[in-house]
């Protein structure tokens, strides 16, 4: 005997919600039906997958391994269904797209109108999130593809290039770095840096590109978004980094902010469309990358 897809789906939902009642609601079945499905799965596997305690559900080691494998099986099954429905019709039907926050507000407005015109049957569901969570969503089958920035280490993920995005420096208008030409290597090492919060790949990519260690301590400023970052620079709190696509979109059009390029080889990040290795939507992800080149 083999587990059914429905049983694997029940287990996945149970792991996500941590409750039989909430998992049953998510599965649109009664709680007894979901519980019976989990019991049948345990019979097939020959081992318990959950520990049932009052008010809580805890996965066993077998259950955790089963969830990991179930996510892959269910994701590939969904790929199969979507591929069959849209056979011969690329970029049609539902496409769940993730986009990182330092790209979404600037790339999407410039590319979505053309994408919609070229592929009118495409139904995009967009999720904006940090790279790590988008990669996890790809692997779990919760997303079909994601727009992220490289370099970023991730196994089991393939990608197609959209283009390069130069990383620029932003300084208050009365700051010494605001006058003159390009910023020389090493000029930022002694400066007070304002960065995005930990978890934003742009933060690490910018620091690595100019060979600077992240500032530490309780007095370090950290912004939740690029818009907040610009406001902090404009207020004279320090110097930061901005992606060229954001500057081109007008984010730095603030009288209190001056944007400068770096001398020598300008630091860059590569913007790509990423997808899970083995996904049946790989060809569509490549088409999406082509359509988003600006």
């Amino acid at each position: 005997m083999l587990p059914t897809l429905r049983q694997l789906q029940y287990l996945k939902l149970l792991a996500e919600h941590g409750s039989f009642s909430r998992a049953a609601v998510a599965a649109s079945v009664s709680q007894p039906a979901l519980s019976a499905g989990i019991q049948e799965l345990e019979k097939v596997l020959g081992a318990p997958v959950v520990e049932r305690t009052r008010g809580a559900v805890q996965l066993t080691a077998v259950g955790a391994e089963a969830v990991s494998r179930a996510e892959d099986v269910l994701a590939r099954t969904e790929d199969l269904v979507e591929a069959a429905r849209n056979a011969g019709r690329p970029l049609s039907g539902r496409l769940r797209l993730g986009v990182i926050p330092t790209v979404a507000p600037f790339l999407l407005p410039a590319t979505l109108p053309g994408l919609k015109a070229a592929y009118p049957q495409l139904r995009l569901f967009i999720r904006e999130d940090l790279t790590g969570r988008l990669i996890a969503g790809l692997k779990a089958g919760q997303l079909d593809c994601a727009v992220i920035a490289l370099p970023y280490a991730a196994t089991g993920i393939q990608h197609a290039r959209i283009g390069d995005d130069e990383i620029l420096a932003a300084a208050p208008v009365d700051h010494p770095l605001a006058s003159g030409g390009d910023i020389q290597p090493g000029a930022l090492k002694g400066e007070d840096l304002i960065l995005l919060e930990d978890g934003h790949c742009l933060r690490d990519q910018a620091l690595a590109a100019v060979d600077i260690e992240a500032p530490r301590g309780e007095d370090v400023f950290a912004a939740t978004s690029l818009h907040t970052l610009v406001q902090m620079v404009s207020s004279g709190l320090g110097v930061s980094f901005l992606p060229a696509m954001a500057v081109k979109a007008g984010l730095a059009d603030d009288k209190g902010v001056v944007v400068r390029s770096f001398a020598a080889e300008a630091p860059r990040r590569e913007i790509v469309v990423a997808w899970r290795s083995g996904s049946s939507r790989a060809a569509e992800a490549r088409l999406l990358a082509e359509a988003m080149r600006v």
Side-chain angles (χ1 to χ4, degrees):
M1 293 179 61
L2 294 174
T4 66
L5 291 176
R6 179 57 61 88
Q7 290 166 355
L8 296 179
Q9 185 183 46
Y10 287 171
L11 178 62
K12 179 185 175 187
L13 291 173
L14 188 58
E16 290 174 355
H17 295 277
S19 158
F20 277 90
S21 59
R22 291 193 294 271
V25 170
S28 300
V29 298
S30 67
Q31 184 173 332
L34 185 132
S35 182
I38 294 296
Q39 290 174 358
E40 288 299 318
L41 176 61
E42 290 177 327
K43 290 179 182 178
V44 172
L45 297 179
V49 295
V50 293
E51 295 176 358
R52 298 165 176 82
T53 58
R54 199 169 196 176
V57 171
Q58 181 69 41
L59 290 177
T60 64
V62 171
E65 178 66 18
V67 168
S68 176
R69 294 175 182 268
E71 287 177 341
D72 184 60
V73 170
L74 292 170
R76 291 178 183 275
T77 304
E78 289 182 4
D79 281 347
L80 170 64
V81 173
E82 285 296 321
R85 286 176 177 171
N86 302 317
R89 296 183 300 149
L91 287 178
S92 62
R94 182 190 69 173
L95 184 75
R96 299 165 300 175
L97 175 66
V99 191
I100 57 175
T102 57
V103 167
F106 318 111
L107 181 66
L108 295 185
T111 59
L112 288 188
L115 184 65
K116 185 176 181 180
Y119 301 98
Q121 299 303 314
L122 177 64
R123 294 186 296 115
L124 271 180
F125 293 84
I126 297 174
R127 169 182 160 190
E128 184 179 316
D129 210 337
L130 299 179
T131 307
R133 291 197 281 265
L134 294 183
I135 295 295
L138 289 175
K139 292 184 175 181
Q142 298 164 351
L143 293 171
D144 299 306
C145 50
V147 178
I148 63 173
L150 303 182
Y152 189 88
T155 59
I157 298 296
Q158 295 180 296
H159 64 268
R161 174 187 174 86
I162 294 177
D164 283 344
D165 186 29
E166 184 179 352
I167 297 174
L168 306 168
V173 67
D174 58 354
H175 194 281
L177 291 178
S179 60
D182 294 347
I183 297 178
Q184 298 300 316
L188 288 180
K189 287 188 179 294
E191 298 297 334
D192 291 328
L193 287 175
I194 309 170
L195 301 171
L196 289 170
E197 285 184 329
D198 224 353
H200 287 272
C201 56
L202 176 64
R203 166 193 172 102
D204 299 328
Q205 289 160 353
L207 290 172
V210 296
D211 193 24
I212 298 178
E213 289 190 9
R216 304 177 186 279
E218 296 181 357
D219 297 330
V220 174
F221 289 104
T224 57
S225 71
L226 289 176
H227 291 82
T228 303
L229 203 62
V230 169
Q231 292 174 0
M232 295 169 77
V233 172
S234 179
S235 299
L237 297 179
V239 178
S240 191
F241 304 101
L242 291 177
M245 67 165 58
V247 175
K248 183 179 178 181
L251 180 66
D253 291 350
D254 186 307
K255 293 181 180 179
V257 177
V258 175
V259 176
R260 289 282 182 264
S261 296
F262 288 91
E265 186 175 351
R268 297 176 180 275
R269 59 179 185 164
E270 183 183 10
I271 310 301
V272 302
V273 173
W275 63 90
R276 184 181 63 259
S277 296
S279 171
S280 64
R281 308 203 76 173
E284 290 182 285
R286 291 190 179 93
L287 280 177
L288 184 64
E290 288 182 17
M292 299 185 100
R293 288 172 190 156
V294 292

